Structure formats: C-alpha cells, structure tokens
C-alpha cells in the first residue's frame, strides 16, 4: 500500500503532540496477524533468506539468494527462480519483479502457486528475479551505516529509483548477460517512471516495463481517509519533532494511531485495507493469511513524507525540504519536477489499472497517460479493469487470467 502509512505519519505527530488518548484497534485487522556488483548465490539457510525458505522452495521451485550493492552503499537482497517447477531451466529472458512500499518480494508469492506471477513466469521459461528495496528484511545492511543510524533512513522514492533500481538491473544483467523485462507494482512503478524520465543509462538493459497500479500523479486519490489526513502539514515536521526516521508498520503505536484516526474522522474502517486502497474484488482469506505471516515491511519516514507531498500538490517532484534548503540541494526554490514525456517514446510499456483503486486513481492514471500521449502506439499497451482495486493486481485469485496472461503476451512481443 502506498498511501496507508502516509496518513499515519501525520496523525502520529498530532496524537503525540496533543497527547490524545486513542483506541487500540490493530492495523493487522487488515492482515490479522502478524555499478552494481553481484555476489555469488548464497545457500537458502541464510537467516536473511526467509523468502526462499518459506515461500518459494516449499512450492517445489529452486530459489537462490543474491546481493547487490548500490552506488550509495546499501546491500540489497534478491531472490532468483532460475527454473520452473519441473526443473527445466529458463530459456527466455530475465524478468525483474519489484514490489511497492511497506512490502517486499513476498507480496508476489502468497497467492496459490497457480496465481503467483513469479511461479507463472518461471513455469513459462523466464528467469525470474525478485528485488527488495533498502530497509526491508533482507536489505538492511550498508557499507558504513547501521539501521540504528538516522542517515540509514535518509531517503525517499527518489533514491529507490536513482540507486536501488539501477543496482537491481545491473545485477541481473551482469549475472545473465541478457536484457531483462521489468514488472513493478505501486511504488515499484514510481521508481521506474522517475528513472525512465531522466537520463537513465540502464534503460538499454531493459526490454520492456510492466506497471501494475501505476503511481505517478496522486492528488485525486479516492481514499476519504487519506484525503482527510493529508490536509495536515505535520508530516514534514515529524522527523525533526519526534526524531523518528524509520516507519515500522508492525508497531503497536501504528495500530493505536490508525484506530484513533478512523474514529476521529468518522470514516468506516471496518476494513482498513479497503479504506486505504479500495475494495479489492478478488483476494481470498487464505492469501491474506499467508501474506500476514510474512508481515508488512518498514520504510523511511522521509519516503512517506515525500508521498504525502505528492498527494497534496499533485506533482511529481523531488523531495521538498523548504525554500532555503531547496536552494542548497537543487539551486532553486522549488524541487525539480520529473517530466513523464521524457520517457523514450519507443520504450515498450504495459500499464494495467483498475476502477476501484483508491491509490492509483483512474483520473490520476489518465493524467499520466495524457503526458505520454505521443508514445509510439505499438509500444504502449493499456489495460483497464472494472472491478480491480490496488492489491488485486498482485494477490487476486483470478489475476493470472485477468492480468498476468496479457502481461506475458506483451513481453513475448519484446
């Protein structure tokens, strides 16, 4: 979920400053329980290789753990599925699969095996790579910093697109010697869009990009909960006021905050997930239970503040510090904007979005599509699903037929 935690940051500050008592409703009501250099494959007994051990290998697939190092020093974990369940090795290009915020690669692996994109790709001959951005469970080391250091968390989606994404792409390319296809969901699409619209040298290593629930413009989000929350400007001061740099969605504080804001705003939060991201049509209870066993993942407070800025302003810009600091960082009073029309017009793009998605709102996606209206028509495929919301695109029980098969048909052409 992109937006869910954004509001919590704002409300956290308000609650703590005001010392307002709150309810203890649990966020887990949504999920009720709980130049890049590649290192050699590591055994799946590694403590940080939980995804391989718990979600891939039990389904009968080979899983290898790799690490890449970003230009700014973060060591990031990747999982590779090099063969189908039959054991037949991949004979098609690599596919890099990227998750969104408050998640890691497990997001793609909790549906039934017949509906999991990585397994479907592997069984169809693709060499599958799963990436995990900085701060998630298997990407929490740095060449000089500890997660206990505030500088470890001094980043937003800008750095994910500028450093993590190139490291993943170069890592796969260096290991395989092949150009790859990219698949991103939610924040994983913003990472790609921000990178592709700049002078992104790794774009020559990519065959195509698939953007599921594309996130670019965000000021028309459909979540009443988030609309109410983001009118506050407290998020920007939360880091300095509270000294909190890591946002951990599994904490009791977050559970308390979410319960309070729902009652404060008079919003129906019987299903927090629905209130935040939209009424998913097609996710069954066993899938939810498998996902919560792995738990939501941390991100930086700065990342959430940056997303909150996007919701309020309706722009895609670099992080807004303030006028004086912006002058120091960017040599101008306002943060530089990303121009989506700069994405190479002959670069193959597949976009899929849904009517009921509160975070990748239809109107916001239409703004994005308008900015790339001059894209080569034979290089752009757009899919619109009437009944889909945000999480249906990766965890739905009919996603194979609705999304993944059209996705594979597209990448097979490129």
């Amino acid at each position: 979920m992109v937006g869910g935690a954004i509001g919590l940051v704002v409300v956290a500050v308000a609650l703590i400053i005001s010392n307002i008592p709150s309810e203890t409703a649990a966020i887990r009501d949504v999920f009720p329980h709980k130049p890049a250099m590649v290192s050699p494959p590591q055994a799946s007994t590694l403590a940080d290789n939980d995804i391989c051990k718990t979600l891939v290998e039990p389904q009968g697939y080979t899983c290898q753990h790799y690490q890449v190092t970003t230009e700014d020093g973060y060591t990031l974990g990747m999982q590779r599925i090099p063969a189908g369940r039959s054991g037949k090795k991949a004979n098609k290009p690599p596919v890099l699969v990227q998750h969104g915020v408050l998640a890691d690669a497990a997001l793609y692996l909790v549906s039934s095996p017949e509906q999991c994109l990585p397994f479907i790709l592997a069984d169809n001959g693709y060499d599958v790579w799963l990436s995990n951005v900085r701060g998630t469970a298997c990407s929490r080391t740095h060449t000089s910093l500890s997660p206990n250091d505030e500088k470890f968390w001094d980043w937003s989606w800008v750095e994910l697109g500028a450093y993590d994404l190139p490291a993943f792409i170069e890592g796969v390319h260096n290991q395989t010697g092949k150009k790859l296809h990219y698949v991103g969901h939610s924040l994983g699409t913003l990472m790609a869009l921000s990178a592709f619209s700049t002078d992104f040298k790794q774009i020559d290593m990519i065959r195509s990009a698939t953007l599921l629930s594309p996130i670019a413009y965000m000021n028309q989000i459909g979540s009443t909960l988030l609309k109410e929350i983001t009118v506050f400007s407290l998020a920007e001061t939360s880091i300095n006021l509270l000294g909190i740099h890591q946002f951990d969605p599994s904490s009791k504080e977050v559970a308390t905050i979410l319960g309070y804001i729902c009652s404060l705003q008079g919003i129906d939060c019987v299903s927090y997930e629905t209130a935040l991201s939209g009424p998913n049509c097609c996710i069954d209870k066993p899938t939810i239970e498998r996902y919560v066993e792995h738990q939501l993942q941390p991100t930086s407070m700065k990342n959430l503040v940056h997303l909150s800025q996007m919701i309020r302003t309706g722009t895609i810009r670099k992080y807004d510090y303030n006028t004086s600091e912006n002058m120091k960082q960017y040599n101008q009073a306002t943060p530089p904007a990303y121009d989506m029309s700069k994405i190479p017009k002959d670069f193959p793009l597949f976009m899929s979005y849904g009517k009921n998605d509160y975070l990748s709102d239809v109107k916001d996606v239409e703004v994005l599509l308008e900015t790339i209206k001059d894209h080569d028509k034979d290089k752009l495929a757009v899919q619109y699903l009437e009944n889909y919301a945000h999480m249906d695109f990766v965890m739905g029980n009919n996603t194979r037929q609705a999304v993944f098969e059209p996705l594979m048909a597209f990448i097979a052409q490129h």
Side-chain angles (χ1 to χ4, degrees):
M1 282 177 250
V2 171
I6 301 171
L8 303 185
V9 176
V10 182
V11 180
V13 182
L15 285 175
I16 294 173
I17 292 175
S18 302
N19 194 29
I20 303 173
S22 60
E23 303 173 23
T24 56
I27 194 170
R28 295 185 186 180
D29 286 353
V30 180
F31 303 113
H33 296 286
K34 63 176 194 169
M37 299 298 293
V38 182
S39 67
Q42 302 173 34
S44 62
T45 54
L46 288 178
D48 62 357
N49 202 14
D50 177 73
I51 290 173
C52 276
K53 289 191 301 180
T54 63
L55 295 173
V56 180
E57 292 170 355
Q59 300 297 339
Y61 293 84
T62 299
C63 188
Q64 300 167 341
H65 186 78
Y66 289 77
Q67 291 181 324
V68 295
T69 302
T70 67
E71 185 180 334
D72 58 346
Y74 290 84
T75 302
L76 312 177
M78 302 182 73
Q79 290 78 36
R80 183 186 190 183
I81 307 175
R85 184 153 40 179
S86 67
K88 184 179 179 180
K89 291 187 177 180
N91 57 7
K92 295 179 182 178
V95 181
L96 174 62
V97 182
Q98 176 61 55
H99 61 82
V101 75
L102 301 183
D104 60 8
L107 180 69
Y108 288 96
L109 296 164
V110 295
S111 300
S112 66
E114 294 75 20
Q115 295 291 336
C116 287
L117 178 60
F119 297 150
I120 294 169
L121 290 169
D123 287 337
N124 279 273
Y126 291 97
D127 182 5
V128 181
W129 293 74
L130 304 170
S131 47
N132 303 272
V133 301
R134 61 185 68 185
T136 57
C138 62
S139 300
R140 291 177 67 84
T141 57
H142 187 276
T143 52
S144 62
L145 300 173
S146 159
N148 294 324
D149 299 326
E150 68 178 58
K151 286 188 177 181
F152 183 93
W153 300 99
D154 185 19
W155 50 267
S156 76
W157 55 261
V158 170
E159 285 73 26
L160 300 185
Y163 297 116
D164 289 26
L165 184 59
F168 293 138
I169 293 170
E170 290 183 7
V172 174
H173 186 266
N174 292 346
Q175 186 68 23
T176 65
K178 299 178 180 179
K179 294 176 68 172
L180 58 96
H181 297 283
Y182 178 84
V183 178
H185 174 252
S186 192
L187 193 74
T189 71
L190 180 58
M191 290 168 57
L193 290 167
S194 63
F196 299 164
S197 62
T198 61
D199 185 17
F200 190 62
K201 66 179 182 179
Q202 292 82 8
I203 201 164
D204 291 335
M205 301 177 186
I206 310 174
R207 292 174 175 265
S208 74
T210 292
L211 310 178
L212 306 176
S213 294
I215 296 293
Y217 303 94
M218 294 185 69
N219 69 320
Q220 300 185 77
I221 55 173
S223 171
T224 303
L225 175 59
L226 292 182
K227 285 180 179 178
E228 291 294 324
I229 290 170
T230 53
V231 299
F232 294 99
S233 60
L234 292 174
E236 282 77 352
T237 60
S238 61
I239 295 174
N240 291 333
L241 286 177
L242 305 177
I244 300 173
H245 298 271
Q246 175 187 182
F247 183 84
D248 183 357
S250 66
S251 68
K252 293 180 180 179
E253 290 80 8
V254 170
T256 300
I257 290 164
L258 187 53
Y260 178 78
I261 191 59
C262 286
S263 63
L264 180 69
Q265 299 294 346
I267 297 167
D268 182 7
C269 293
V270 171
S271 171
Y272 291 136
E273 181 264 339
T274 295
L276 294 170
S277 66
N280 294 296
C281 67
C282 307
I283 303 176
D284 55 36
K285 186 176 180 180
T287 297
I288 294 295
E289 290 175 345
R290 283 190 293 270
Y291 182 58
V292 301
E293 287 175 0
H294 191 75
Q295 297 187 350
L296 301 176
Q297 296 294 311
T299 190
S300 73
M301 290 284 285
K302 186 176 181 179
N303 192 29
L304 302 183
V305 171
H306 197 177
L307 290 166
S308 184
Q309 292 173 355
M310 292 173 63
I311 292 173
R312 287 200 301 275
T313 64
T315 60
I316 312 173
R317 295 182 177 273
K318 292 192 174 183
Y319 189 87
D320 190 354
Y321 294 92
N322 54 52
T323 300
S324 59
E325 185 62 24
N326 287 340
M327 291 299 299
K328 294 179 183 178
Q329 294 286 337
Y330 312 123
N331 200 33
Q332 59 186 62
T334 58
Y338 290 90
D339 184 355
M340 296 295 105
S341 69
K342 299 294 185 182
I343 297 172
K345 293 177 173 55
D346 61 350
F347 181 74
L349 289 173
F350 177 89
M351 293 191 191
S352 187
Y353 66 111
K355 180 179 181 180
N356 295 321
D357 193 333
Y358 287 174
L359 301 179
S360 179
D361 185 83
V362 170
K363 293 180 180 178
D364 284 327
V365 176
E366 288 174 350
V367 174
L368 171 61
L369 292 173
E370 177 64 21
T371 64
I372 60 171
K373 63 183 179 182
D374 294 329
H375 208 83
D376 291 353
K377 303 306 179 187
D378 62 338
K379 300 296 184 182
L380 176 63
V382 180
Q383 180 189 48
Y384 173 71
L385 298 173
E386 281 279 344
N387 61 338
Y388 263 41
H390 201 67
M391 303 307 293
D392 287 314
F393 285 92
V394 288
M395 297 197 298
N397 56 24
N398 65 346
T399 310
R400 178 180 188 136
Q401 298 79 6
V403 180
F404 298 156
E405 289 181 358
L407 181 164
M408 287 193 296
F410 179 81
I411 66 176
Q413 299 173 9
H414 302 284

